[in-house]
């Protein structure tokens, strides 16, 4: 089969599967990204030569547990007491849990940035591998599910809007870079990326953010200006940190000596190759939402 055709078909299947799961129900969205997480853990373990069994079990349990606690309130004092036949008062503070998880993820994100720009060592220590696995892979998938709820209830438009911004940024960074790109962005890690493409991707993502706010989100007139500001800000975050996320994954692949993180998507590589931007951006978007919620 022609490589372009193969790439087009697998890309279309991915987009349809993604949109269908997001739009069908909250549960289908959680299940799909749970499956994506399992594959991402598998791929990252292959990249870093880490034993797979324990990370797969721990990552799946953590994802399921926090999803249940955060979004379904299934873990209650009554349920736990019934299971263990006790009478102990147990309270789970979701806000405190979010703060701990977010702080952990952001610390690992900073370590990832330092690893990308300042760490010339081509061999990653075992402890760092597990730290990256936890804070760079597992926790961001949890935050992807969290940001889909915005301030309150599940809203598929939020997560679809985020992916539209990421796809816009990636597409126009490539087009602009291919057309007028002359200055390399970070040649040592990604020879094809250019500064012109990077800037072009951000500008078109900001335009997409404006259009999403105006014609897709359709905020009430009194909140229209706020909505535009929020979505253009998210677009800027996506353009900057999505590119950094892409570069970080490229460095992991360069150290591993491979072109793609996996082969589950013909012509596109693995799950990490498709989601490297969103997993790095998700915790930062969640932080952005928390700041908005706090100041409002």
């Amino acid at each position: 089969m022609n490589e372009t055709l193969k790439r087009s078909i697998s890309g279309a299947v991915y987009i349809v599967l993604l949109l269908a799961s997001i739009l069908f129900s909250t549960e289908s969205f959680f299940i799909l990204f749970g499956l994506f997480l399992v594959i991402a853990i598998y791929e990252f373990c292959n990249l870093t030569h880490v034993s797979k069994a324990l990370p797969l079990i721990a990552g799946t349990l953590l994802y399921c547990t926090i999803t249940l606690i955060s979004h379904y309130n299934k873990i209650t004092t009554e349920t736990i007491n019934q299971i263990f036949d006790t009478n102990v008062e147990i309270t789970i503070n979701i806000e405190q849990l979010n703060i701990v998880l977010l702080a952990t993820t952001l610390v690992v994100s900073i370590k990832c940035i330092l690893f990308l720009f300042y760490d010339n060592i081509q061999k990653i220590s075992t402890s760092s591998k597990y730290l990256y696995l936890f804070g760079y892979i597992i926790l961001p998938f949890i935050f992807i599910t969290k940001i889909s709820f915005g301030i309150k209830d599940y809203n598929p438009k939020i997560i679809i809007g985020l992916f539209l911004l990421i796809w816009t940024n990636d597409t126009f960074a490539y087009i602009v870079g291919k057309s007028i790109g002359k200055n390399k962005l970070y040649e040592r890690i990604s020879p094809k990326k250019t500064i012109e493409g990077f800037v072009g991707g951000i500008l078109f993502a900001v335009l997409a953010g404006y259009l999403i706010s105006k014609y897709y989100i359709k905020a009430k007139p009194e909140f229209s200006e706020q909505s535009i500001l929020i979505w253009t800000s998210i677009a800027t975050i996506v353009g900057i940190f999505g590119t950094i996320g892409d570069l970080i994954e490229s460095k992991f692949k360069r150290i591993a000596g491979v072109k793609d993180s996996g082969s589950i998507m013909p012509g596109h590589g693995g799950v990490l190759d498709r989601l490297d931007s969103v997993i790095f951006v998700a915790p930062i978007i969640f932080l952005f939402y928390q700041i908005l919620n706090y100041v409002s």
Side-chain angles (χ1 to χ4, degrees):
M1 183 184 292
N2 180 279
E3 186 65 26
T4 302
L5 180 60
K6 186 194 300 183
R7 184 179 174 87
S8 299
I9 292 173
S10 63
V13 170
Y14 164 71
I15 291 172
V16 169
L17 181 63
L18 186 70
L19 294 179
S21 71
I22 293 170
L23 291 170
F24 184 73
S25 70
T26 311
E27 289 74 22
S28 61
F29 168 64
F30 287 161
I31 290 169
L32 180 66
F33 275 85
L35 291 173
F36 281 165
L37 171 61
V38 169
I39 299 168
I41 292 172
Y42 183 89
E43 291 177 353
F44 189 79
C45 288
N46 276 341
L47 285 178
T48 55
H49 306 291
V50 170
S51 176
K52 301 178 185 67
L54 184 59
L56 284 170
I57 294 170
T60 303
L61 286 175
L62 187 65
Y63 177 85
C64 293
T65 302
I66 293 177
T67 298
L68 290 174
I69 292 173
S70 299
H71 306 304
Y72 295 104
N73 298 318
K74 298 288 187 183
I75 308 286
T76 62
T77 299
E78 183 181 349
T79 305
I80 293 174
N81 285 334
Q82 286 177 353
I83 293 172
F84 295 102
D85 193 25
T86 64
N87 242 345
V88 181
E89 278 296 318
I90 301 171
T91 58
I92 299 171
N93 190 312
I94 302 301
E95 293 304 318
Q96 290 181 356
L97 178 63
N98 286 341
I99 290 171
V100 171
L101 294 177
L102 182 60
T104 303
T105 311
L106 293 177
V107 167
V108 177
S109 296
I110 292 170
K111 180 175 172 57
C112 285
I113 293 172
L114 294 174
F115 163 71
L116 172 64
F117 291 111
Y118 301 109
D119 190 351
N120 292 318
I121 299 173
Q122 295 299 301
K123 187 175 180 181
I124 309 169
S125 68
T126 301
S127 60
S128 290
K129 289 177 183 178
Y130 282 104
L131 184 63
Y132 290 135
L133 183 60
F134 180 64
Y136 169 65
I137 303 294
I138 296 173
L139 290 184
F141 272 90
I142 292 170
F143 282 108
I144 290 172
T145 65
K146 285 182 177 294
I147 61 177
S148 65
F149 281 74
I151 301 300
K152 191 178 180 182
D153 298 319
Y154 178 68
N155 185 351
K157 288 186 175 182
I158 293 175
I159 197 70
I160 290 175
L162 177 59
F163 273 100
L164 287 174
L165 291 178
I166 288 172
W167 295 335
T168 300
N169 179 71
D170 289 347
T171 301
F172 284 96
Y174 173 78
I175 292 172
V176 174
K178 193 81 171 174
S179 302
I180 61 172
K182 294 180 180 179
N183 301 288
K184 299 299 181 182
L185 180 65
Y186 196 28
E187 190 172 10
R188 184 164 62 88
I189 299 299
S190 186
K192 294 182 179 180
K193 281 186 169 55
T194 64
I195 294 173
E196 292 84 356
F198 172 66
V199 174
I202 293 175
L203 292 177
F204 276 97
V206 169
L207 175 60
Y210 172 82
L211 295 174
I212 288 169
S213 172
K214 196 82 173 170
Y215 300 107
Y216 184 56
I217 301 298
K218 294 181 181 178
K220 293 179 181 178
E222 60 267 31
F223 299 118
S224 177
E225 289 186 8
Q226 290 179 337
S227 179
I228 291 171
L229 180 60
I230 288 170
W231 277 96
T232 53
S233 298
I234 291 174
T236 305
I237 292 171
V238 163
I240 296 171
F241 291 97
T243 302
I244 292 174
D246 186 283
L247 288 170
I248 289 169
E249 200 236 350
S250 294
K251 182 160 185 179
F252 280 117
K253 290 190 294 186
R254 186 167 288 274
I255 291 174
V258 297
K259 181 178 180 291
D260 298 316
S261 66
S263 57
I264 194 169
M265 292 179 61
H268 290 271
V271 164
L272 278 179
D273 294 316
R274 293 300 92 210
L275 298 178
D276 52 4
S277 295
V278 73
I279 62 174
F280 196 76
V281 162
I284 300 168
I285 299 296
F286 181 79
L287 174 62
F288 179 68
Y289 267 114
Q290 298 312 299
I291 293 171
L292 284 178
N293 192 31
Y294 177 77
V295 298
S296 63

